Amino acid sequence: MSHSMSNLLSVKGLGLSFSEKGPDFLRDVNFDLNKGETLCIVGESGCGKSLTALSLMGLLAPSLSRRVKGELSFEGQSLRFQDQKKLQQMRGGRLSMIFQEPMTSLNPSFRIGDQISEAWQCHHGAGGRERALEMLERVGIPDAKSRMNDYPHQLSGGMRQRVMIAMALVNNPSLVIADEPTTALDVTVQSQILKLMNDMQKTLNMGIILITHDLGVVAQVATRVAVMYAGEVVEHASAEAIFNDPQHPYTIGLIASVPPISGPRERLTVIPGRVPLPGSLGKGCRFAGRCPFATEICQTDPPVQLMEGSHFVRCHHAPIENMKESAA
Amino acid sequence: MTAIVEAIDLVKEFDAGGGMLGKGKKVYAVSGVSFEVQRGETFAIVGESGCGKSTLARTLSRLIAPTSGDVLVQGTSVGALKGRGLRDLRSKIQFIFQDPFSSLNPRMSVGALIAEPMEVHRPDLNAKQRRAETAQLLRQVGLRAAHMDRYPHEFSGGQRQRIGIARALAAKPEILIGDEPVSALDVSVQAQVINLLADLKTEFGLTLIIVAHDLAVVRHMSDRIAVMYLGRIVEIGDADAITANPRHPYTQALMSAVPEARIDANRNPILLEGEIPSPINPPSGCRFRTRCAFAKAICAEKIPLLETTKDGREVACHFHKEIPVSDYGSETQALPEAAKRRFALFRGAVNARKENKTQQGEYQ
């Protein structure tokens, strides 16, 4: 993978198992991100997208974080995933996170102004109230001065998510990881929040990792996309390539199964079966059990193929149109 | 065509909690909603959180009683029904719930869950017949008869939703109401359940009423759509017409905000000012006026009634004739060749394997 000057984050060989001999919940996860860009990690429940985020943030339980394998380089500094101390120093500072459910991730018993100031104090010592007010204004909270004294329950879902964003950005991070930031919101509020994140990204030139299951959101905001399935990145490419030139059968099936909002209505394409449980993961390609193109060779680990324009596909058969007509 | 379900000026108000502050206040959940659902069609009610769509769906099936107004099912008023009559209504209208994890009793086996509505609504069946029919229903929803003796926790979300559907069908209903029936499911499983509902609709000759917030899903499934905002219908009509060319300013904002799973899509979301007002104290006149770019004095004074436009849809807006119609239909470009070819290959390969493996449980 190319390392340009603006490389912000690169993750190599991230892996995680819950026990010594247990299956790998994450296996050989690789991706990178440049400054000012948005990487979308997309996949269905249980594909490991949130685990990836938590590993990056060093937020796994200590018993688990010891099992994280792999390396990352962040702002030119290379470190190992087990290096919890370093991650903690960066967390909330250069590296920050926005969670899905602002109702459960804001503390219900503290005023929002204090919660944002606290995030500042963790990295700068005392003060931070002025900075908190400034942030609330920047994320579009009307009447921010009096809202500083509100408790989370006094705000609507959209407003709470704005507060979460204010808190995540209070220390000018260079990378923000947002885990399903708009999933709990209505579409009209979602478009407000996505616009806000986009505006803030431009002003701060920060990188965003957006974790989502919503391919619509991905198509609207992503620069690059990593498609995850059963703990692996199966395809990693520019957003344009993912939607216009999808290579991995899972990516193809996933995009094809979304009902279109315009154009003719046809019977939906389905991916048969369901995501395998971690305990049932065997050898070889993890999608093989549901893949309509699977052949005998798929019982062995698929290679990561490099297609045109840093487009990575973990599949024996990509591109599928070159497959020989085999007995299905 | 005859209307199988008719809502006449339905109103549902809840008391806004206890306590000194809430006393005497009301939540205006549904405020005067009328429409007809024709036999055999799929009718969708869409809107964002708090617009009253779930309350409306529950009122239709008398899961909750309306404050005023009436619902006619096949011409019979359901408001006055009691006891036996109400039970007969419930056998005609069945509900599919959103959350497949909380809507199935965890202590009942799948067989017992599906047989229960038969015991209530079809007392003429004996135990053996019930068992045979349960097995049949399980196969029809894409599960196996052997699943009968298992318990809900042994199934995935998609499979549980299939069990919920089998349970609803067990009463031999004519109308199926789904409150967000696929929104808790992952994309690939969602597509399976959407196709399943379409197949069952044909097979059982059902009328479907779907309540949902995902407009792409709604458009795909339905013939007609009613868009709700703060307890009232703002636009109602043909599903394709409303999604491609919304006329009400709220429908326009809603449609513009749908993120399309296409890279060339350019919808330019109309960003609405502020937030949805509280249904405890809704705005006078048009309830959308506080966030509407076209609002004038009259909007605060007079409630806009649904008016029929040339293309046969109804819009509740004083200015619907003047407001430019949005166009989200004609801009659709053909998919790039590579994507189109691979989607077709994928579909073909799935179908080819399905024919070889029809015995395999969820291979739908």
Side-chain angles (χ1 to χ4, degrees), chain B residues 218-283:
Chain B
V218 162
R219 183 193 83 114
H220 182 83
M221 295 180 77
S222 34
D223 301 303
R224 284 193 311 134
I225 294 179
V227 182
M228 282 187 83
Y229 184 81
L230 264 185
R232 291 207 188 113
I233 290 177
V234 297
E235 188 162 358
I236 180 169
D238 177 77
D240 285 315
I242 283 189
T243 49
N245 305 110
R247 294 193 96 108
H248 191 283
Y250 175 65
T251 320
Q252 293 181 344
L254 197 61
M255 288 308 304
S256 76
V258 176
E260 209 170 344
R262 304 240 341 220
I263 215 80
D264 50 18
N266 192 9
R267 292 205 156 224
N268 282 329
I270 302 166
L271 292 178
L272 289 178
E273 287 291 315
E275 313 219 316
I276 188 163
S278 161
I280 293 177
N281 189 16

Side-chain angles (χ1 to χ4, degrees), chain B residues 177-191:
Chain B
I177 302 184
D179 187 359
E180 301 276 10
V182 298
S183 61
L185 307 174
D186 273 317
V187 185
S188 69
V189 179
Q190 176 175 292

